[in-house]
Amino acid sequence: MAGVGPSVIIAVRHGESEANLAYRRAGDTPLVYERGDDEVTLTEQGRAQAAALGRLLAALPAGEAPELVWCSPYVRALDTWRIARATWGIHPLPVTVDERLRDQEMGEFARYNPAAVRQRFPGEPERREAEGAWAYRPPGGESLADVVARLRDLLAGLPRRADGRPVLIVAHDSVVLGLRHVIAGGPDAELAAVLEFAPVLNASVSVWRTGGGRFELVRFNDVGHLGP
């Protein structure tokens, strides 16, 4: 049986990661990051952001607080949920670690900041511009359209699993952008429009609630819980 979809979807980007910090500090200086994308950990600031997320979850009223969790398999997402849950103080919730929630795969660009990509892969920025940011695939990597395809598959299975309960998704910026497109139900020809809502900020919260048989966007990319 199809089941009932989630009553609420709360999608969170992980807290600030060591790679986020390293790339920001490097600026326009080429940088090669030493860890694989799935191994990147949180910074001290990222751990504080995850704790703030936990306090936000603890303050949610009954019926909106998550009862099920789906999480990316990447360390920075798993650690964000682990810290948030500990701060929330909730008993363990059912957690599904799902490969479809991994970050957009960057292929040969995986350990390079944008300056290093420009240096090592001449011509690729021009190809990205020509193809469109949503359709462009780095060599050996994924496009945002590819991310959307796996998210559409994941969301199609949620009714069977969620059974009318609130769901928390802890993942990445590309995933949150992709979810906005998939939940809105627009054709992929309109996928480029979702890039207007980038960047999705670290530890930001986006919320959809069921209304009238479809999901209504309540807020997107909200970081009010992180303070000034």
Side-chain angles (χ1 to χ4, degrees):
M1 298 181 62
V4 179
S7 58
V8 177
I9 293 178
I10 303 171
V12 176
R13 185 189 178 192
H14 60 79
E16 182 188 66
S17 72
E18 294 284 359
N20 295 150
L21 179 60
Y23 288 176
R24 186 170 69 250
R25 286 176 172 172
D28 292 330
T29 301
L31 173 71
V32 181
Y33 194 71
E34 69 276 8
R35 288 186 176 177
D37 197 25
D38 60 332
E39 303 171 321
V40 175
T41 58
L42 297 179
T43 62
E44 181 178 351
Q45 175 68 12
R47 292 189 289 274
Q49 291 170 339
L53 171 64
R55 291 190 289 273
L56 172 68
L57 295 173
L60 291 176
E64 293 190 15
E67 297 178 23
L68 300 169
V69 180
W70 267 259
C71 192
S72 161
Y74 288 9
V75 169
R76 58 191 181 275
L78 291 167
D79 282 352
T80 297
W81 166 241
R82 177 181 57 79
I83 294 167
R85 191 197 68 77
T87 304
W88 182 2
I90 193 69
H91 58 80
L93 296 178
V95 178
T96 301
V97 178
D98 198 306
E99 286 284 341
R100 292 170 293 183
L101 291 173
R102 67 189 184 276
D103 205 357
Q104 180 179 355
E105 294 184 358
M106 299 308 292
E108 294 180 27
F109 296 176
R111 301 183 186 219
Y112 301 142
N113 73 342
V117 168
R118 291 191 295 269
Q119 180 186 75
R120 292 167 180 257
F121 300 89
E124 286 297 322
E126 290 77 11
R127 183 168 74 87
R128 183 178 186 272
E129 180 69 22
E131 295 181 4
W134 66 274
Y136 170 76
R137 287 190 186 95
E142 290 183 304
S143 67
L144 183 58
D146 294 327
V147 175
V148 161
R150 51 179 158 91
L151 292 175
R152 188 173 284 116
D153 183 63
L154 180 141
L155 288 176
L158 276 187
R160 178 174 51 84
R161 303 280 302 278
D163 195 25
R165 290 173 288 180
V167 166
L168 174 67
I169 295 174
V170 185
H172 309 273
D173 51 353
S174 63
V175 169
V176 177
L177 283 175
L179 286 171
R180 178 166 184 139
H181 176 76
V182 174
I183 293 172
D188 282 355
E190 298 176 1
L191 182 53
V194 81
L195 295 173
E196 298 176 7
F197 301 101
V200 175
L201 303 175
N202 288 119
S204 63
V205 173
S206 300
V207 179
W208 292 263
R209 184 181 295 119
T210 301
R214 58 177 297 169
F215 278 105
E216 173 190 2
L217 180 63
V218 178
R219 60 183 182 272
F220 189 78
N221 205 12
D222 186 359
V223 291
H225 57 291
L226 301 182

